[in-house]
């Protein structure tokens, strides 16, 4: 599966930034979220807002439209 990456650091891991439980996910080439280890995600997690995500490795925040092709 081809993944998109953070435009700042190149990480392929993202977190939702809405209030409530955070969801850890990756974004595929079709700009759709792919939840990492869905069995470990909190039951009270809110849906992912694709216009407001955060990189899981650095301070970048933005929209899935801003992501770049992964170099990994």
């Amino acid at each position: 599966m081809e993944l998109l990456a953070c435009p700042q650091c190149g990480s392929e891991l993202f977190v939702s930034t809405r209030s409530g439980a955070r969801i850890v996910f990756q974004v595929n080439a079709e700009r759709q979220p792919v939840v990492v280890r869905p069995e470990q995600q909190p039951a009270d997690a809110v849906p992912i807002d694709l216009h407001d995500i955060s990189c899981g490795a650095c301070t970048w925040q933005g929209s899935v439209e801003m992501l770049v092709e992964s170099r990994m």
Side-chain angles (χ1 to χ4, degrees), residues 20-71:
R22 290 188 171 209
I23 300 172
V24 178
F25 63 97
Q26 296 174 305
V27 178
N28 65 21
E30 290 78 34
R31 301 191 185 279
Q32 296 299 312
V34 178
V35 176
V36 176
R37 296 189 179 186
E39 70 281 358
Q40 293 181 356
Q41 296 300 322
D44 63 342
V46 296
I48 298 168
D49 179 355
L50 297 178
H51 299 290
D52 187 20
I53 63 173
S54 294
C55 177
C58 73
T59 60
W60 179 87
Q61 286 186 296
S63 166
V64 294
E65 298 305 320
M66 300 168 73
L67 300 180
V68 297
E69 285 186 30
S70 177
R71 293 173 286 216

